[in-house]
């Protein structure tokens, strides 16, 4: 079994490749739920949904989130009743949120809900929320604390991130299956996701970091930073304001002690000795996932690192 710690867009691209490179029924995804948000009275799990839609081949390739060809009539219509329009939730995407919310109200645990959604989309892989309990990523900027989606979507990340907290995490155990997956997998892969707000919350769930540190799996991380820049999103800006070097080496330092292999891009080949000096192997390969072939090639290269 291969277990992947996953955020949204970067992770879902990698997972599409992995599902081509290996039998999808061998894949377990541990999904970040720190981005979850209550919108219009509905529970939305953006990262989990991106992964489901991407693996189902239904994600909008232009945005990396939402469903291809979705419309936005409901969020438009809600403005009449005074709702704000900053959070884009497509009409068909809302169906997922309605279903998830109803089940949560009935007391169904999140891991069962996600299993049902995964099956409804015909996926072979297993997707686990990092925890069944609510955990909310909060960003502290110059003007105070912001819920994650307000920072990400409403403010379009245009504020300095001074610190990040995960409200509720102390009393949020890992979801059933999470620790077993970390213990029993041949490989645990940290997707090329944001280290602070995608992988960070997963590792901060009590017990997960320790289980990963103790795991006999080959632990592999893929840098979301290529040539000192992100492909998309605020990870590089966060690295600056949180005092990290904006490079694949900076990412490797964050994961040092937890991983065996760091995967960096060809463009960063010169950084390999610095990565190896941190006590890990370094795989240099093409990590820009611009086509289905390149996604699958990256996944195959990653799997080639797994100890047999
Ligand atoms: P989010 O939760 O939707 O922001 O998604 P993630 O945290 O999973 O992914 C965001 C990260 O993915 C960003 O830091 C990007 O740099 C990274 N990313 C996106 N596409 C690629 C790619 O093709 N290659 C690599 N190496 N990183 C990527």
């Amino acid at each position: 079994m291969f277990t992947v710690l996953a955020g949204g867009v970067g992770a879902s691209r990698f997972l599409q490749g992995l599902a081509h490179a290996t039998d999808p029924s061998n894949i377990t995804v541990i999904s970040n739920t720190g981005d979850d948000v209550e919108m219009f009275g509905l529970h939305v799990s953006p990262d989990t949904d991106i992964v489901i839609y991407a693996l189902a081949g239904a994600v909008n390739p232009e945005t990396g989130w939402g469903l291809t060809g979705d419309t936005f009539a409901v969020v438009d219509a809600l403005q009449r009743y005074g709702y704000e329009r900053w959070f884009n939730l497509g009409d068909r995407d809302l169906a997922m949120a309605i279903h998830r919310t109803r089940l949560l109200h009935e007391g169904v645990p999140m891991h069962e809900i996600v299993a049902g959604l995964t099956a409804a989309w015909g996926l072979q892989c297993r997707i686990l929320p990092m925890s069944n309990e609510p955990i909310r990523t909060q960003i502290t900027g110059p003007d105070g604390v912001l819920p994650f989606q307000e920072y990400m979507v409403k403010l379009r990340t245009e504020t300095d991130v001074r610190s990040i907290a995960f409200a509720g995490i102390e009393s949020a155990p890992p979801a059933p299956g999470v620790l077993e997956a970390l213990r029993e997998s041949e490989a645990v892969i940290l997707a090329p996701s944001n280290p602070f707000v995608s992988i960070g919350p997963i590792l901060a769930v009590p017990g997960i970091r320790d289980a990963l540190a103790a795991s006999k799996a080959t632990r592999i991380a893929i840098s979301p930073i290529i040539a000192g820049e992100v492909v998309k999103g605020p990870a590089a800006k966060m690295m600056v304001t949180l005092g990290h070097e904006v490079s694949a080496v900076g990412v490797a330092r964050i994961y040092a002690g937890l991983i065996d292999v760091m995967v960096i891009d060809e463009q960063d080949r010169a950084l390999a000795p610095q990565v190896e000096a941190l006590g890990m192997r370094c795989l240099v390969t093409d990590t820009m996932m611009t086509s289905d072939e390149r996604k699958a090639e990256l996944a195959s290269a990653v799997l080639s690192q797994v100890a047999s």
Side-chain angles (χ1 to χ4, degrees):
M1 179 176 48
F2 305 119
T3 294
V4 181
L5 309 195
V9 176
S12 65
R13 290 183 179 152
F14 175 73
L15 284 162
Q16 288 173 323
L18 190 63
H20 276 101
T22 189
D23 178 353
S25 62
N26 274 337
I27 302 173
T28 294
V29 179
I30 301 177
S31 177
N32 171 39
T33 53
D35 289 12
D36 284 17
V37 63
E38 297 289 326
M39 269 289 147
F40 323 120
L42 300 174
H43 185 107
V44 185
S45 296
D47 278 358
T48 308
D49 294 356
I50 287 170
V51 166
I52 293 174
Y53 294 154
L55 286 170
V59 78
N60 180 343
E62 277 153 37
T63 53
W65 53 265
L67 289 156
T68 305
D70 211 350
T71 49
F72 294 86
V74 175
V75 285
D76 283 343
L78 281 167
Q79 288 179 90
R80 180 184 297 278
Y81 309 109
Y83 292 85
E84 291 182 52
R85 176 64 175 84
W86 55 270
F87 196 76
N88 286 311
L89 202 52
D91 297 327
R92 288 191 292 130
D93 206 354
L94 270 165
M96 183 95 112
I98 290 168
H99 181 57
R100 177 187 277 112
T101 306
R102 197 207 94 214
L103 294 174
L104 281 172
H105 285 166
E106 287 176 3
V108 180
M110 188 65 100
H111 76 288
E112 285 181 19
I113 297 173
V114 175
L117 294 171
T118 309
W121 280 92
L123 302 182
Q124 304 294 308
C125 67
R126 182 166 64 136
I127 303 178
L128 300 170
M130 61 190 194
S131 176
N132 281 342
E133 301 306 317
I135 296 169
R136 294 292 174 269
T137 298
Q138 295 178 331
I139 302 293
T140 300
D143 303 318
V145 179
L146 291 166
F148 181 73
Q149 296 299 345
E150 287 197 25
Y151 159 77
M152 187 77 186
V153 183
K154 195 173 186 180
L155 294 188
R156 295 170 195 275
T157 76
E158 275 162 18
T159 187
D160 282 352
V161 175
R162 299 202 172 150
S163 65
I164 300 169
F166 310 117
I169 203 152
E170 298 79 10
S171 51
V178 166
L179 295 182
E180 294 80 352
L182 294 171
R183 265 199 300 268
E184 290 158 19
S185 289
E186 281 163 78
V188 178
I189 303 165
L190 280 56
S193 289
N194 186 312
F196 306 106
V197 294
S198 291
I199 304 296
I202 302 175
L203 293 176
V205 172
I208 290 191
R209 178 180 283 273
D210 289 347
L212 182 59
S215 176
K216 297 215 165 39
T218 307
R219 300 156 304 175
I220 307 168
I222 304 146
S223 176
I225 303 287
I226 300 177
E229 289 176 15
V230 280
V231 181
K232 194 170 180 279
K237 285 197 286 190
M238 288 179 174
M239 290 183 95
V240 173
T241 60
L242 296 173
H244 296 265
E245 178 184 316
V246 188
S247 72
V249 178
V251 177
R253 282 197 190 112
I254 293 170
Y255 295 142
L258 272 186
I259 59 168
D260 305 298
V261 185
M262 184 76 210
V263 182
I264 68 172
D265 194 80
E266 283 289 356
Q267 295 178 58
D268 293 319
R269 180 171 282 281
L271 301 179
Q274 286 181 66
V275 170
E276 281 166 355
L278 294 167
M280 56 186 82
R281 301 204 300 275
C282 184
L283 170 69
V284 184
T285 190
D286 192 350
T287 71
M288 195 69 95
M289 297 178 285
T290 45
S291 67
D292 288 344
E293 290 72 34
R294 290 174 83 168
K295 290 171 190 168
E297 279 165 19
L298 173 60
S300 297
V302 167
L303 293 182
S304 75
Q305 296 298 304
V306 180
S308 50

